[in-house]
Every structure is written in C-alpha cells, then in structure tokens.
Amino acid sequence: MTQIYGLATLWIGLALIATLLSIWLRVATAMSEIIVGTVAQLVIGAALGAAALGTDQSWIKFLAGTGAVLLTFLAGTELDPQVMRREWKQAVIVGLVAFTAPFLGAQRWPAMPWVGAAIQAGSPGSPCPPHRSRSSTQ
C-alpha cells in the first residue's frame, strides 16, 4: 500500500513541476506536462529502472489513457475558429498529413533493414552484436 502512495506522490509532484514550469516559461500546460513526463521517464527510468515510475500498474495505465484524452481535448479547445475558417486549406493539409503519416510510417517500418536488425540484435545471424553492460566487458 505504501508503494501506491509513493507512486501517487511522485506523479503529483511531476504534475506540480509541469504546472510551475508552464507558468514560468509561459507555455501551454499540456506542452510542459508532455516534456516533464518525457524527461522524467528518461532520467528516473535510467537511474532507477522502468519500474520506478510504475508504468506497468493498471491504475497508472488508466490515468495515462485518461490524460491522453484530456490533452487531446485541450488541444482542440485552443484552436481559433476564425483562423480555421480563414486558413482552411492549410488546416486540412496539416490534418491529413498528421493523420496519415503514422499509418504510412508503420506500414513502411518493417521493410527498413536496420529496424529488423536492431530488434533481433544478438540473435544468430544478426549483424548487430548483443548488448553488453560495462561490468561484463571488464
């Protein structure tokens, strides 16, 4: 039970840091939350391991999904209808590219030779050597 409170404290602390940064830097709160979350994953994940943020916990996954929906909603509320009417061609082009690019990239991804090699690094016949930690090479 203490672990749940510790994780909740960590996540609320990160949200507080993101809010204070957004006020200090005068950027959108959603942007600072994304940046703080990414940096926290890199720093805390590298220092203490991926389990330190509790990303495998079901309640964290639920909050992450709810937060993603909320961030999408907030991004939609920041659109200016007058600009959208005036610049509708550019908005449609950007929207279509932003929507289709991930699908096209995912379709192309397995055909890239270095991706398959990186995924199966260390397997027999792979051009990539297996990952070795510093302690095993010394």
Side-chain angles (χ1 to χ4, degrees):
M1 189 63 148
T2 331
Q3 181 185 13
I4 292 174
Y5 291 129
L7 281 175
T9 303
L10 174 66
W11 283 104
I12 289 173
L14 290 172
L16 177 65
I17 290 169
T19 304
L20 293 175
L21 276 175
S22 72
I23 293 169
W24 184 59
L25 297 174
R26 296 184 181 165
V27 296
T29 305
M31 179 65 75
S32 67
E33 287 175 352
I34 291 169
I35 292 170
V36 167
T38 303
V39 170
Q41 177 65 34
L42 289 172
V43 172
I44 295 173
L48 303 175
L53 289 172
T55 54
D56 57 343
Q57 305 258 342
S58 61
W59 64 277
I60 296 284
K61 289 180 183 179
F62 171 77
L63 289 177
T66 305
V69 170
L70 180 65
L71 284 175
T72 305
F73 171 75
L74 289 176
T77 60
E78 293 179 1
L79 297 176
D80 187 3
Q82 293 175 350
V83 173
M84 294 294 287
R85 283 188 204 106
R86 189 175 58 233
E87 311 269 342
W88 70 272
K89 290 179 185 176
Q90 291 89 342
V92 168
I93 290 170
V94 168
L96 287 174
V97 169
F99 180 77
T100 57
F103 295 111
L104 296 174
Q107 183 181 14
R108 177 79 176 123
W109 186 263
M112 296 178 183
W114 63 86
V115 173
I119 290 173
Q120 296 182 7
S123 64
S126 171
C128 297
H131 174 72
R132 294 192 170 113
S133 63
R134 291 182 184 177
S135 61
S136 65
T137 58
Q138 294 176 353

